[in-house]
Every structure is written in structure tokens, then in C-alpha cells.
């Protein structure tokens, strides 16, 4: 054993037991000491990198860092910028009514707009995977992204016009309403004092005296614009007396160009086609009828001694749709225009993530008996969670800065109700009554609201990169 130990410890002839010069101290390593030439090359590489980065750093400092720093500094000074105001401008953010409205509306935007746009994008992406014309549909949905916010605002300002003849939204709404609800034929029609009609309760008109069998009832009205007359209305004619019932004429007692006699059917005066007429006796309706194209009508003998009533549904104002840009609906209406623009963006990103899903998982779930809703809810959505997070966070950052749509779509009367922080920043910082101190405070508040969302996004990106390296 002693011989073996001595043999092992004896160095190999020709070696000295020292490491060759130029090798590192770690056994098995082959690193070399930095030479002056290698250090010079490293310095040159650093200089080249700095030269390439310098323009970007200069622009970043001039356009981002300096404005942020100046805004923070300016937010602590008064309106003129001469006196230090401390936190007064920040106190104003939570005491001024218009700014509080802007903060509340921004919260609505952040919660509603990204959620709806992402949900629609998810639905569109999943459904268009199964149809042959899915690519064409995606192109149509994505096309609004090619439109600027300014152009989209002008488009939707017209879409939300109150007049159904101009606003698409109200044209559709009024069309649907009139399909299920009977519309008024002669809004604002009324009798003259010399006419045999008088006002009644609820906006109706009744004859001043009862009608009798064999008589001719005359029901003249005025106040109907020619454009609102029925297109198939014909010149009125005086009705002939009925044998056992009551006959009459309802017409527009107005002659274009002047002339004509009140309470008399003159040439070129039109019948009030569709006018509803009721015979009321002792508070009960005993007969009903409707005027013909020439204004003529007849009632049965049961109407003898009754008062003729023109119900209020003949004269109520025509349904004019919804006030989309009124105080109560202006913010949801503008959010709708935003979703119209950005749902295509969400759809494209989600469709890209959907294309990378492992199809064997989906097919395995279907083989195991899962229906399409279960596959969508239990497999597709969880696998798409990273993509959905990207879309949601991107849209949240985007809506915090929304300005163009609100400024263009909201009319002056409703702009206070649709106010958001970016718009309030503009209103506080420009104009004859500008307060740059408050405007700078709003800018700082916007920055503080965006930072947490950006931090979440950065953490998510880093986590994704770490998982990708594993």
C-alpha cells in the first residue's frame, strides 16, 4: 500500500507541478487574460453602441423625460406660474365638479371599453375560424383600424344625429319602434276657433255638438305640413248624406297660395286619409271609423246623438328616436364608437394566439364528450389567457388617453357630461381661462394612472420570457 501511495504522488516526469502560464486558476478552464488589444476592441464596441443609442436617448430625454419633469414641477405652481401653490392644484382635482366627472367617466371607460372590445374580439376570432369567409369577415372588422380617430368621430357624430333622416342609429331605432307601435298620422294638427271642433282631455278634439242621422259631419283641421300629408291623399269631397247612418268629411282646411273658405271643402284641399274618428255617447265609444283617401267616412246608426271625437293618438308627436348624445347616453355612445374601431385589433391578436393552440387538446375534449361551449370555456379561454391579458392591458392604457372621440362626438351641451381626463387636460391648459397649474396636475394624475398598468404589463412580459427560456 505504501508503494502504491508513493507511486501515485510521484509527478510525471517532465512536469513541474505548476500551471502553465496564461491559464486560469479554475481546473479545466481555458480562459485567457484580457490583453490590451481585446480591451481596446471592447472600448470601441462600447463607443459604437453609445453613438447609435445617443440620438434615441436625446429624443427620449427631450420628448419624454424633460416634459414629465417640467409638468411635475409646474403642477406645484399657481395659474400664472409665479407663486408656489403646494398641493392646491391636486386638491382641485378632487373638489372641482367637472374634473370629478372626468375621473368617473375615465373609470367607466377603463372598465367597459377594453372588456367589451376584448370579448367581441374573442367571439369574432373563434367564430370566424369555422366559416369559409372568415378571412373576409376579419378584414371588414379590422378595417376601422385604418381610420383615424378624427374621421371616426365625424362618422359617429353623423350616426348619432337626432334627426332620423340623417342619423343612422335613430333611423334604425325609429323603424323598429314604428314596426311595433302605431305612429301618429298628423302631429300638431289642430282646429281653428271657427271650426266645429274643440279641445278635449288628453289632447283629443271633439265636435261642439252631437251629430244626427242623415247629417253630414264636417271635421276640418289645419297645421299639417304638406310634407307630412299621406302620399296617396286625394282632393277632399263633401260627403253625401247617409240614409240611416252618419257620413262626413275630414280634410285639411288649407289652400296653398291663400284663398279658400273656412269650414268648406275648397278645390285642391286634401282629405286627411287615416284620421281615426270615434263616436262617443254617455262616455262610451259606440262606433269607430277611419277617413278614406278623400277624407270621407261613415258611421252606423248607433252613432246618432253621439259626439264625434278625434283621439289623441292622431296628433301626438312622431317618435323621434333616442337622444344618443344627450347627458345620460353620451358616454356609452362614444364607447360604442371606440369598440367599433378597436374590436378588430383585439380580434387579430386573439386569432393569432388561437392559431397556435394545440389542436389535439381541443379534439381530445370533444372526443371525451365536451360540447363546444365547454371546450370554449374550459380549454380555449384558459389557453388564450396570456393573449387576452396583452389585449386587455393595451386597451386599458389606450382608453386612459382617449381624447379625440370625446372631443368630436360630444356636442357642446353634453361635453361636460362626457368629459374625460385627457379632454379636461386640454380644456384646463388652453383657452382664455387656462390654468397651467391644474392642467399639469391632471397630466401627472394621468401618468400615475398609467404607471400601474404599464408595470403589470412589464411583469407579464418578463414572466413570459422566463417561461420561454425553460
Amino acid at each position: 500500500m505504501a508503494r502504491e501511495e508513493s507511486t501515485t504522488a510521484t509527478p510525471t516526469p517532465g512536469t513541474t507541478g505548476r500551471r502553465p502560464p496564461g491559464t486560469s486558476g479554475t481546473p479545466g478552464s481555458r480562459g485567457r487574460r484580457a490583453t490590451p488589444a481585446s480591451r481596446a476592441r471592447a472600448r470601441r464596441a462600447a463607443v459604437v453602441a453609445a453613438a447609435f443609442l445617443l440620438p434615441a436617448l436625446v429624443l427620449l430625454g427631450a420628448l419624454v423625460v424633460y416634459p414629465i419633469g417640467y409638468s411635475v414641477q409646474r403642477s406645484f405652481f399657481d395659474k400664472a406660474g409665479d407663486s408656489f401653490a403646494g398641493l392646491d392644484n391636486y386638491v382641485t382635482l378632487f373638489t372641482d365638479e367637472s374634473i370629478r366627472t372626468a375621473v368617473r367617466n375615465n373609470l367607466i371607460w377603463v372598465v367597459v371599453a377594453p372588456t367589451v372590445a376584448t370579448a367581441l374580439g374573442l367571439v369574432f376570432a373563434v367564430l370566424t375560424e369555422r366559416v369559409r369567409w372568415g378571412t373576409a369577415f376579419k378584414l371588414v372588422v379590422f378595417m376601422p383600424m385604418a381610420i383615424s380617430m378624427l374621421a371616426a368621430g365625424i362618422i359617429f357624430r353623423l350616426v348619432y344625429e337626432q334627426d332620423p333622416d340623417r342619423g343612422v342609429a335613430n333611423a334604425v331605432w325609429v323603424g323598429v319602434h314604428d314596426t311595433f307601435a302605431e305612429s301618429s298620422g298628423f302631429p300638431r294638427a289642430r282646429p281653428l276657433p271657427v271650426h266645429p271642433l274643440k279641445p278635449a282631455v288628453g289632447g283629443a278634439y271633439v265636435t261642439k255638438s252631437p251629430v244626427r242621422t242623415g247629417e253630414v259631419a264636417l271635421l276640418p283641421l289645419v297645421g299639417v305640413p304638406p310634407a307630412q300629408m299621406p302620399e296617396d291623399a286625394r282632393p277632399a269631397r263633401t260627403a253625401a248624406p247617409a240614409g240611416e247612418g252618419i257620413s262626413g268629411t275630414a280634410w285639411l282646411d288649407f289652400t296653398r297660395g291663400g284663398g279658400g273658405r273656412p269650414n268648406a271643402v275648397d278645390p285642391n284641399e286634401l282629405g286627411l286619409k287615416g284620421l281615426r274618428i270615434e263616436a262617443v255617447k254617455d262616455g262610451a265609444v259606440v262606433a269607430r271609423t277611419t277617413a278614406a283617401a278623400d277624407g270621407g267616412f261613415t258611421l252606423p246608426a248607433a252613432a246618432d246623438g253621439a259626439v264625434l271625437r278625434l283621439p289623441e293618438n292622431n296628433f301626438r308627436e312622431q317618435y323621434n328616436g333616442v337622444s344618443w348624445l344627450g347627458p345620460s347616453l353620451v358616454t356609452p355612445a362614444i364607447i360604442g364608437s371606440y369598440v367599433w374601431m378597436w374590436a378588430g385589433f383585439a380580434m387579430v391578436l386573439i386569432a393569432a394566439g388561437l392559431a397556435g393552440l394545440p389542436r389535439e387538446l381541443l379534439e381530445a375534449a370533444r372526443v371525451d364528450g365536451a360540447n363546444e361551449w365547454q371546450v370554449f370555456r374550459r380549454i380555449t379561454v384558459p389557453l388564450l389567457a396570456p393573449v387576452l391579458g396583452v389585449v386587455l392591458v393595451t386597451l386599458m392604457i389606450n382608453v386612459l388617453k382617449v381624447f379625440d372621440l370625446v372631443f368630436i362626438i360630444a356636442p357642446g351641451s353634453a361635453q361636460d357630461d362626457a368629459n374625460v381626463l385627457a379632454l379636461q387636460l386640454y380644456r384646463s391648459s388652453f383657452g382664455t381661462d387656462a390654468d397651467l397649474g391644474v392642467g399639469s396636475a391632471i397630466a401627472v394624475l394621468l401618468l400615475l394612472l398609467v404607471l400601474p398598468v404599464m408595470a403589470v404589463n412589464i411583469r407579464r412580459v418578463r414572466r413570459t420570457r422566463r417561461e420561454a427560456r425553460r
Side-chain angles (χ1 to χ4, degrees):
M1 291 293 295
R3 182 182 177 120
E4 291 178 359
E5 289 177 2
S6 62
T7 303
T8 305
T10 303
T12 305
T15 62
T16 61
R18 293 182 299 173
R19 295 186 182 93
T23 60
S24 62
T26 304
S29 66
R30 302 180 64 183
R32 295 182 179 179
R33 295 178 182 176
T35 63
S38 63
R39 288 196 293 269
R41 285 195 298 271
R43 283 195 296 270
R44 285 196 299 270
V47 170
V48 171
F52 277 102
L53 289 175
L54 184 61
L57 293 175
V58 171
L59 288 176
L60 184 67
L63 301 180
V64 178
V65 178
Y66 173 75
I68 290 176
Y70 181 77
S71 296
V72 173
Q73 176 191 359
R74 186 66 179 83
S75 66
F76 293 104
F77 285 81
D78 62 359
K79 179 178 180 179
D82 299 328
S83 303
F84 184 75
L87 297 176
D88 291 348
N89 293 323
Y90 292 94
V91 173
T92 303
L93 298 183
F94 301 98
T95 56
D96 186 85
E97 183 64 29
S98 61
I99 299 179
R100 285 192 297 178
T101 301
V103 173
R104 184 179 66 249
N105 286 340
N106 260 105
L107 291 177
I108 295 174
W109 272 89
V110 169
V111 172
V112 175
T115 304
V116 175
T118 304
L120 284 178
L122 175 61
V123 171
F124 290 156
V126 172
L127 293 182
T128 52
E129 256 201 343
R130 297 177 171 271
V131 294
R132 295 177 59 185
W133 40 268
T135 303
F137 179 80
K138 290 178 182 178
L139 177 63
V140 172
V141 175
F142 188 75
M143 278 179 63
M145 282 295 298
I147 303 175
S148 67
M149 287 281 196
L150 173 64
I154 295 173
I155 291 171
F156 274 87
R157 181 64 181 269
L158 296 175
V159 168
Y160 292 134
E161 275 281 351
Q162 180 70 45
D163 185 0
D165 294 332
R166 297 181 61 191
V168 175
N170 265 342
V172 174
W173 194 267
V174 170
V176 173
H177 174 274
D178 290 347
T179 301
F180 298 99
E182 204 171 18
S183 61
S184 168
F186 307 100
R188 296 189 296 277
R190 65 191 185 280
L192 293 174
V194 297
H195 287 160
L197 292 167
K198 63 180 180 180
V201 178
Y205 295 103
V206 298
T207 54
K208 296 176 181 177
S209 57
V211 295
R212 297 295 177 182
T213 301
E215 292 182 355
V216 176
L218 298 178
L219 304 177
L221 293 172
V222 295
V224 182
Q228 293 184 355
M229 287 294 293
E231 295 180 359
D232 53 351
R234 298 203 305 267
R237 62 174 180 84
T238 303
E244 297 181 355
I246 297 169
S247 61
T249 302
W251 81 101
L252 181 63
D253 194 13
F254 172 78
T255 302
R256 287 189 178 186
R261 298 161 296 162
N263 291 329
V265 179
D266 298 307
N268 300 325
E269 292 181 345
L270 299 176
L272 296 174
K273 180 186 177 182
L275 186 73
R276 302 175 186 88
I277 304 161
E278 297 176 344
V280 181
K281 186 185 294 185
D282 298 329
V285 177
V286 296
R288 290 185 176 89
T289 189
T290 302
D294 59 1
F297 65 90
T298 57
L299 291 165
D304 181 48
V307 172
L308 299 187
R309 179 173 66 186
L310 305 181
E312 65 276 4
N313 55 14
N314 287 307
F315 312 111
R316 64 170 178 259
E317 292 286 341
Q318 288 182 338
Y319 183 67
N320 205 33
V322 178
S323 179
W324 298 105
L325 299 181
S328 57
L329 290 179
V330 61
T331 295
I334 301 174
I335 290 176
S337 66
Y338 178 89
V339 171
W340 175 77
M341 288 191 66
W342 287 87
F345 167 81
M347 178 195 66
V348 169
L349 290 187
I350 295 172
L354 197 61
L357 292 185
R359 300 297 168 177
E360 58 272 13
L361 292 180
L362 305 180
E363 295 303 327
R366 295 187 181 101
V367 170
D368 289 342
N371 57 37
E372 292 301 324
W373 169 245
Q374 291 172 327
V375 171
F376 174 77
R377 185 165 59 93
R378 299 291 182 86
I379 299 177
T380 304
V381 173
L383 290 177
L384 285 175
V387 179
L388 296 177
V390 172
V391 175
L392 200 60
V393 170
T394 302
L395 294 181
M396 288 176 65
I397 295 174
N398 187 267
V399 298
L400 281 171
K401 304 177 292 181
V402 67
F403 166 78
D404 316 59
L405 290 176
V406 181
F407 183 71
I408 297 167
I409 296 177
S413 59
Q415 205 166 80
D416 287 339
D417 300 287
N419 199 15
V420 290
L421 284 174
L423 177 60
Q424 184 61 42
L425 170 61
Y426 169 80
R427 296 169 69 180
S428 298
S429 303
F430 300 95
T432 56
D433 195 30
D435 189 336
L436 293 181
V438 174
S440 299
I442 295 174
V444 174
L445 176 62
L446 267 176
L447 175 65
L448 294 177
L449 291 176
V450 171
L451 285 179
V453 183
M454 293 181 63
V456 170
N457 198 30
I458 292 172
R459 288 184 60 188
R460 183 196 54 76
V461 171
R462 288 178 177 174
R463 185 171 61 252
T464 303
R465 287 179 178 176
R466 287 196 300 269
E467 292 174 356
R469 291 195 190 104
R470 292 174 184 173

